[in-house]
Amino acid sequence: MSTPNTVPTTVAVGTQFDLTTGLADSRPSLRRPLSAMRGMYADTDAFDAGVAAGDPLTYEFYDMGVPSLETEIAYGTSITYPGKVGDEYHMTKGHFHERLESAEIYFCISGSGLMLMESPEGDVQVEEFVPGRAVYVPGRYAHRSINTSPDEPLITFFAFPGDAGHDYGTIETKGFRKIVVERDGQPVLLDNPRWGA
């Protein structure tokens, strides 16, 4: 007796995110205290002082456990908390994708900030985050979220191909070519004095 061909069942998943905090109660977040950002900030004395003074949580995000397949879409939220190291705003570590051509999209739920992007060839682009605004990060660009608000978390929803992977090592080794600092109450883009050091 022959068995009919069957298509594997894929299970739909619903995930609840709190629209005020960005947090999800379905799984734990991945948390990055300031000490996990060693080498990311230009002012190393201010960084050491911040770690010694309590090592604040700079950001956290959710990996929802989507299979690492081209046919899947990974998604989650990222929450970058307000604060500065010296005059440089709190930010995410930033990454390239291991599959370099992979793009990503971010949607700002609340807060304000910037998406800093950089290609391996040195092209730098910056887009603003405000509530309701989506930022498309093209393939080949490393990207980093920066919270420019003095008192409000920057909360974004993100999605990217399941097989994109994350290359944090390049950023940990070289950093970004540009940094964002506060000058007269406004964010300003400057050359990173530690880039490639």
Side-chain angles (χ1 to χ4, degrees):
M1 179 174 179
S2 63
T3 344
N5 291 334
T6 57
V7 176
T9 302
T10 303
V11 178
V13 176
T15 306
Q16 183 70 41
F17 293 104
D18 185 298
L19 294 180
T20 304
T21 65
L23 303 175
D25 58 10
S26 58
R27 59 192 296 133
S29 66
L30 300 169
R31 298 164 63 87
R32 297 289 184 261
L34 182 58
S35 57
M37 299 287 287
R38 186 166 298 282
M40 299 293 107
Y41 289 94
D43 188 336
T44 55
D45 291 338
F47 173 85
D48 291 339
V51 171
D55 197 17
L57 180 64
T58 56
Y59 73 101
E60 59 186 315
F61 62 96
Y62 287 92
D63 174 359
M64 303 313 294
V66 172
S68 299
L69 301 172
E70 183 181 4
T71 54
E72 304 293 335
I73 299 173
Y75 69 96
T77 52
S78 174
I79 304 103
T80 307
Y81 293 100
K84 289 184 292 183
V85 175
D87 56 5
E88 195 173 354
Y89 298 100
H90 277 183
M91 59 191 176
T92 62
K93 186 174 283 188
H95 60 272
F96 286 98
H97 287 296
E98 288 178 341
R99 187 162 65 81
L100 191 60
E101 303 302 327
S102 300
E104 187 163 356
I105 192 160
Y106 288 76
F107 179 79
C108 183
I109 296 170
S110 65
S112 58
L114 300 171
M115 175 62 81
L116 177 62
M117 297 165 278
E118 174 185 309
S119 73
E121 296 76 27
D123 181 54
V124 173
Q125 299 186 35
V126 180
E127 288 291 338
E128 184 181 12
F129 280 130
V130 293
R133 189 162 199 258
V135 174
Y136 176 78
V137 179
R140 299 186 57 76
Y141 279 76
H143 41 286
R144 156 181 287 166
S145 298
I146 301 168
N147 185 349
T148 58
S149 169
D151 53 15
E152 189 178 7
L154 170 63
I155 303 174
T156 56
F157 179 89
F158 59 82
F160 57 88
D163 67 341
H166 292 85
D167 169 14
Y168 292 103
T170 300
I171 302 306
E172 289 169 349
T173 302
K174 297 180 68 175
F176 276 70
R177 288 173 167 82
K178 302 288 185 180
I179 59 174
V180 179
V181 300
E182 185 181 68
R183 292 285 187 269
D184 299 321
Q186 297 298 319
V188 175
L189 190 68
L190 298 177
D191 289 337
N192 183 355
R194 302 186 67 234
W195 183 75

